[in-house]
Amino acid sequence: MPALRAEPIAPLIELTQSDVENLGPQVLLLADDSGQLSPFDILQPEYAGEWTEHRAHSISRGYDDTPFWIQFRLDAAQSIHKEWHLVLSNALLDYVDVYQVFGNSGPRLIYRSGLQRPNQSRIEDHRFFIVPVEVYGPTTYLMRIETSPSALVPLHAYPSDDFWSPLLKADIGNWLFYGVLLAMVLYNGFLYTTVRDVSYLFYVLFISGFGVLQLSLDGYLAQYLWPPDLIYHYEYNFWITLATVIFASFFVIHFLNLRHTSRAHLWALYGMIALQCVAAGLLVTIDLDWFARLYTPTIIVFMVLAVSAGIRAWRVGFIAAKFFVLAWVLFAVGNSVFLLGRLLGIEAPLPPNLASKLGSFAEAMLLSFALAYRIRLLRDEQDRQRMRVEAQSQFLAQISHEIRTPLNGVLGMTEVLSRTRLDDEQRGYVDTIQGSGSSLLALINDILDYSKIEAGKMAFRREPVDVHQLVQQQVKLFLSQAEHKSLALTGDIDPRVPAWVMLDAQHVRQVLSNLVSNAIKYTDRGTVKLALSVDPKAPRLLEFRVEDTGIGISEVDQKNLFNLYSDVDPGRQRKAGGTGLGLAISRELVALMGGTLTVSSVPNQGSCFTVKLPFLQARQRREETRLTAERPLNGLRVLVAEDNMVNQRVIEGLLEKLGHQVVLASHGGEAVEARQSDDFECDVLLMDCEMPHMDGYAATEAIRAYEKSQNLPRLPIVALTAHALEDVRRRCIESGMDDFLTKPINTRHLERILAQYVQDP
């Protein structure tokens, strides 16, 4: 056996009665570049000059992953304790070999374990490596450690079994930390399922990833959660880190709403996410020590990005960002201490793992608070938005009512005037008044429709509809407009389309009317066609197509075509009329019915608007008796409850022109008195809803109560109101009314409703 050299000799560490002795600042280190040195080799004279002193509290080799040797000397001559335990407080050391040097016989192996060796090799069942030794006089120990880069190795000597108490306290502290993280994950996961804010989801994924990383670094993952027959590798920590940074980046993007607060930070974080994908490729191709050198700066850059993005969002008025910034500053400080200690061996007042956990704990709590604060702000904003929409809807409804009332007088009296003897010049004037009034009414209806859609109050009703007849009616409706411009308006119905289907006929007519009207408006020559077929790729979709040979639409204009107040040609719009709301409303209506509205067009060649709607085949309705204007409508005695004098004259004039007798009541109370009189002989009651003394709702309820108490037949009551909202219609029906007419009164609608109550001769 080669002679052993007594030098170099590590400083003698005298073990006393203290609970623990930190051996880190009193050891010698030797790098084993070849990885082949034996304990006998390192004690040879040629290696005497290779040993270096170590003064830090924890042993660290930074990025270097080459094996290294540790030499230290213990002396327990002055201590009552002779049995000691050496504790290496790093659970992720790949290989740990401990030798005791016995005089002239040389080093002898007393302990062999490590992460890459079976757990059974550990003398004590703990995540750390615990080596029992007996120390009497001066004794030299050698340790060979082989592990991944950035390993930090705290080395302590405990008398007897005193190590269990501090290690147990550390475990309790760690599990409290993990308990807090788990609570944050569960709580915010529950909130995500409730509010469906994706920020909560990425927060949960980020905190979960960081928690798993800490479990791995602390050794719990390998000891308790990893399959015992599989080797746990240090590189798994980098995979976990990659995923955690990706989740954290998405969290920052969504929490701070960087799409609106900072586009520069948004793209920087997207770049960071892409960089993690590149790093994943490098992780499987290059050595782990080089990967650690290259990847560590990206972690620092990410933390700087997160803090700067928070500051930017704070500066532009996002109040919750102040908690976000504080959280990420604390996280960055704690984990910077961790990185500096693990990778560069820089001493800090706190152990690196503890600094990381304290920073992470503070961040988790502050971010959870920031999320809650953010949700409160969003809910407040949603409440303000809802109140704004409701106020706007109510304002528009009231304005509509105030406009409809005088407009009813204009259009109503014009309608009465048109039924008198007029010469051509006078009829032209009347037609102009009617056309202008109808345009104003269409504008009011468009605005009301969009306000109802925006407020979520648009009602839909699917019913059996003869869809063939619906298309034919649309063609007939616009035939005169097309002929006026010398256009050919045609309808084309695929015979494979069932005649009777379940659809919301009212809103389908509204959409088709808008599309056909637009097609005629923007076509100067050629044809307009309304076609109906079944989508060949989806047999349960009806396909309505409105094709024209008009001016067409450029690709740029098509992108904004369905936006509010957009128009292909503003000059053409001023000439042809229109609000710019029609297509926006049509797309919203189609979407609410579960369908799609699309356009394809070529400038100067024409356009094709396609509506696809889901449908169910329906049974044919029994033929209803069709009451038309040709059937005699005289013989009705109509009671009209209306407080406005102009409206009284309009309704009276219209009814008399239709051949009916009129009885007027100036408010609801008079209508109730008339119904309760012994000589009441009216057939129908037209009831205004808003009147002094007693409104139409209260009057209707009083009449229904009287009829029930006297066992009288039900008098048909038709609401007559300037309100066009569904809420008003519903309230009318609930109060006991039978039908609903809006002002300005449409003569055809009035005829249709009154025709239901004409008795057969």
Side-chain angles (χ1 to χ4, degrees):
M1 178 179 298
L4 299 177
R5 178 183 172 87
E7 295 291 342
I9 299 177
L12 184 63
I13 304 170
E14 294 186 358
L15 302 176
T16 61
Q17 314 304 325
S18 63
D19 292 336
V20 60
E21 184 73 33
N22 185 2
L23 307 183
Q26 307 174 74
V27 302
L28 299 178
L29 300 181
L30 174 67
D32 185 0
D33 295 329
S34 67
Q36 303 297 321
L37 294 178
S38 71
F40 294 97
D41 295 332
I42 63 175
L43 295 177
Q44 296 303 310
E46 59 266 29
Y47 290 102
E50 302 293 330
W51 291 91
T52 59
E53 293 182 349
H54 186 269
R55 294 294 179 231
H57 286 83
S58 296
I59 301 167
S60 174
R61 297 277 293 166
Y63 292 108
D64 194 350
D65 64 348
T66 58
F68 64 95
W69 289 85
I70 304 173
Q71 181 186 158
F72 56 92
R73 299 175 67 221
L74 303 178
D75 182 6
Q78 303 301 318
S79 173
I80 62 173
H81 300 289
K82 305 304 177 184
E83 295 182 355
W84 291 76
H85 286 84
L86 307 177
V87 178
L88 289 85
S89 303
N90 185 325
L92 300 181
L93 303 176
D94 290 335
Y95 299 98
V96 178
D97 297 330
V98 182
Y99 299 86
Q100 181 176 342
V101 180
F102 290 91
N104 291 329
S105 63
R108 183 185 305 169
L109 182 67
I110 62 173
Y111 181 86
R112 170 167 285 181
S113 186
L115 190 64
Q116 304 301 310
R117 289 169 175 156
N119 282 334
Q120 293 82 351
S121 64
R122 305 191 185 199
I123 297 176
E124 300 290 349
D125 184 17
H126 195 269
R127 58 195 175 98
F128 292 155
F129 301 99
I130 302 172
V131 185
V133 295
E134 292 184 358
V135 184
Y136 294 92
T139 307
T140 300
Y141 293 92
L142 302 173
M143 284 188 180
R144 183 183 186 276
I145 294 178
E146 184 176 348
T147 190
S148 302
S150 72
L152 196 67
V153 188
L155 177 59
H156 297 83
Y158 291 87
S160 188
D161 291 332
D162 289 355
F163 67 90
W164 282 116
S165 178
L167 294 187
L168 182 60
K169 290 179 182 178
D171 286 340
I172 292 174
N174 286 336
W175 286 113
L176 286 175
F177 168 75
Y178 295 127
V180 170
L181 290 189
L182 180 61
M184 293 296 99
V185 167
L186 294 177
Y187 172 69
N188 288 281
F190 170 75
L191 289 181
Y192 168 70
T193 61
T194 304
V195 301
R196 291 296 176 181
D197 186 337
V198 74
S199 299
Y200 280 99
L201 175 62
F202 285 116
Y203 172 80
V204 167
L205 293 173
F206 162 50
I207 294 299
S208 299
F210 188 82
V212 172
L213 178 62
Q214 290 292 339
L215 279 171
S216 175
L217 293 174
D218 285 336
Y220 297 115
L221 187 59
Q223 184 181 10
Y224 298 116
L225 304 176
W226 198 254
D229 55 337
L230 295 178
I231 300 298
Y232 191 85
H233 298 282
Y234 189 86
E235 69 180 67
Y236 296 158
N237 294 318
F238 289 108
W239 287 110
I240 299 170
T241 304
L242 290 172
T244 302
V245 172
I246 291 174
F247 294 144
S249 298
F250 278 118
F251 168 70
V252 174
I253 289 171
H254 288 281
F255 178 85
L256 298 177
N257 194 16
L258 292 182
R259 294 180 185 275
H260 298 95
T261 57
S262 177
R263 301 287 293 184
H265 285 93
L266 172 67
W267 288 110
L269 284 168
Y270 279 147
M272 181 61 63
I273 294 169
L275 187 59
Q276 305 310 301
C277 299
V278 174
L282 292 176
L283 185 55
V284 298
T285 56
I286 65 175
D287 292 338
L288 209 56
D289 59 336
W290 280 106
F291 179 82
R293 296 170 192 266
L294 296 172
Y295 184 67
T296 301
T298 67
I299 303 297
I300 298 173
V301 170
F302 167 72
M303 292 189 292
V304 172
L305 267 178
V307 173
S308 62
I311 293 173
R312 172 61 182 168
W314 189 358
R315 291 181 61 185
V316 299
F318 185 55
I319 305 301
K322 61 184 178 181
F323 303 106
F324 177 93
V325 171
L326 179 59
W328 277 98
V329 166
L330 294 175
F331 180 85
V333 170
N335 284 279
S336 295
V337 171
F338 173 83
L339 292 174
L340 293 175
R342 292 294 292 258
L343 300 176
L344 302 179
I346 298 176
E347 294 282 350
L350 293 175
N353 281 21
L354 179 59
S356 175
K357 288 174 183 172
L358 289 177
S360 305
F361 173 82
E363 186 208 37
M365 299 299 293
L366 285 170
L367 285 183
S368 184
F369 181 77
L371 279 167
Y373 188 78
R374 175 177 178 271
I375 288 299
R376 192 182 76 182
L377 291 177
L378 290 176
R379 285 180 174 172
D380 290 345
E381 180 60 29
Q382 289 173 353
D383 288 342
R384 286 193 293 269
Q385 178 71 7
R386 177 181 52 80
M387 292 173 64
R388 184 191 68 80
V389 170
E390 289 182 355
Q392 173 183 294
S393 179
Q394 293 173 1
F395 171 76
L396 290 174
Q398 189 62 36
I399 289 297
S400 167
H401 178 272
E402 298 303 323
I403 295 176
R404 282 173 181 270
T405 298
L407 189 58
N408 180 56
V410 173
L411 291 179
M413 294 309 294
T414 306
E415 177 70 19
V416 174
L417 182 60
S418 69
R419 292 174 178 264
T420 63
R421 293 182 179 180
L422 301 172
D423 58 32
D424 292 341
E425 182 180 5
Q426 292 169 332
R427 187 163 298 279
Y429 295 151
V430 170
D431 290 344
T432 300
I433 296 172
Q434 285 183 317
S436 299
S438 297
S439 296
L440 178 58
L441 182 59
L443 171 61
I444 295 171
N445 289 335
D446 280 350
I447 294 174
L448 274 179
D449 279 344
Y450 202 84
S451 69
K452 285 189 285 185
I453 291 172
E454 193 176 32
K457 294 183 177 181
M458 181 66 76
F460 293 87
R461 184 178 64 181
R462 290 164 64 93
E463 57 186 354
V465 178
D466 185 343
V467 70
H468 290 202
Q469 186 182 73
L470 184 148
V471 169
Q472 293 165 359
Q473 288 173 345
Q474 291 298 307
V475 172
K476 292 178 182 178
L477 182 63
F478 292 95
L479 196 57
S480 61
Q481 292 184 27
E483 290 175 347
H484 181 72
K485 296 185 68 175
S486 301
L487 300 175
L489 175 60
T490 60
D492 183 14
I493 301 175
D494 189 328
R496 291 173 294 181
V497 177
W500 287 87
V501 297
M502 296 293 292
L503 282 178
D504 188 319
Q506 175 186 349
H507 291 111
V508 171
R509 288 192 183 96
Q510 183 176 348
V511 171
L512 294 181
S513 295
N514 181 265
L515 296 179
V516 174
S517 175
N518 282 346
I520 295 173
K521 182 194 305 183
Y522 294 107
T523 302
D524 293 327
R525 58 179 179 272
T527 61
V528 174
K529 182 171 74 171
L530 173 58
L532 171 64
S533 62
V534 176
D535 188 343
K537 297 180 180 179
R540 287 297 178 184
L541 285 180
L542 281 182
E543 186 175 278
F544 299 89
R545 295 188 312 280
V546 178
E547 304 170 2
D548 65 62
T549 57
I551 62 174
I553 309 167
S554 68
E555 291 186 5
V556 175
D557 288 329
Q558 289 180 40
K559 295 178 181 178
N560 300 315
L561 188 61
F562 296 100
N563 295 338
L564 283 180
Y565 308 111
S566 68
D567 204 279
V568 176
D569 184 351
R572 184 75 175 242
Q573 179 185 4
R574 288 191 294 269
K575 179 181 177 182
T579 64
L581 286 169
L583 287 177
I585 293 172
S586 295
R587 170 166 276 190
E588 292 288 346
L589 290 175
V590 171
L592 291 171
M593 289 187 287
T596 60
L597 171 56
T598 57
V599 61
S600 60
S601 182
V602 177
N604 301 318
Q605 294 186 25
S607 305
C608 177
F609 287 83
T610 303
V611 177
K612 293 184 179 182
L613 290 172
F615 75 96
L616 294 174
Q617 193 164 350
R619 292 183 179 180
Q620 181 176 353
R621 278 182 174 176
R622 295 175 59 185
E623 285 295 327
E624 300 175 353
T625 304
R626 298 190 178 274
L627 297 170
T628 67
E630 296 176 358
R631 181 174 177 175
L633 295 181
N634 56 328
L636 285 182
R637 186 176 176 85
V638 182
L639 172 60
V640 177
E642 169 64 64
D643 63 306
N644 186 280
M645 296 296 294
V646 174
N647 288 337
Q648 285 183 0
R649 293 189 61 187
V650 169
I651 300 167
E652 185 177 22
L654 287 175
L655 290 173
E656 288 178 349
K657 288 295 180 182
L658 294 175
H660 302 293
Q661 300 179 41
V662 180
V663 178
L664 294 174
S666 60
H667 56 78
E670 289 186 4
V672 174
E673 292 175 1
R675 178 68 180 98
Q676 293 176 349
S677 65
D678 295 333
D679 58 348
F680 182 76
E681 296 180 352
C682 292
D683 304 298
V684 181
L685 168 56
L686 300 183
M687 179 78 77
D688 186 23
C689 293
E690 295 185 359
M691 294 179 288
H693 304 298
M694 179 181 285
D695 61 28
Y697 307 113
T700 300
E701 291 171 355
I703 289 172
R704 295 306 183 210
Y706 171 74
E707 291 172 343
K708 185 176 181 180
S709 65
Q710 300 298 317
N711 197 24
L712 294 174
R714 183 183 179 95
L715 173 68
I717 302 178
V718 178
L720 195 61
T721 177
H723 286 297
L725 296 176
E726 185 64 28
D727 290 346
V728 176
R729 180 188 296 271
R730 187 181 305 111
R731 186 180 177 188
C732 291
I733 300 303
E734 289 174 354
S735 67
M737 300 184 195
D738 300 292
D739 218 322
F740 189 91
L741 271 175
T742 58
K743 301 172 185 175
I745 299 172
N746 184 292
T747 307
R748 285 181 297 174
H749 291 171
L750 178 61
E751 287 181 287
R752 177 182 57 81
I753 288 176
L754 294 180
Q756 301 176 45
Y757 309 111
V758 175
Q759 300 296 324
D760 291 329

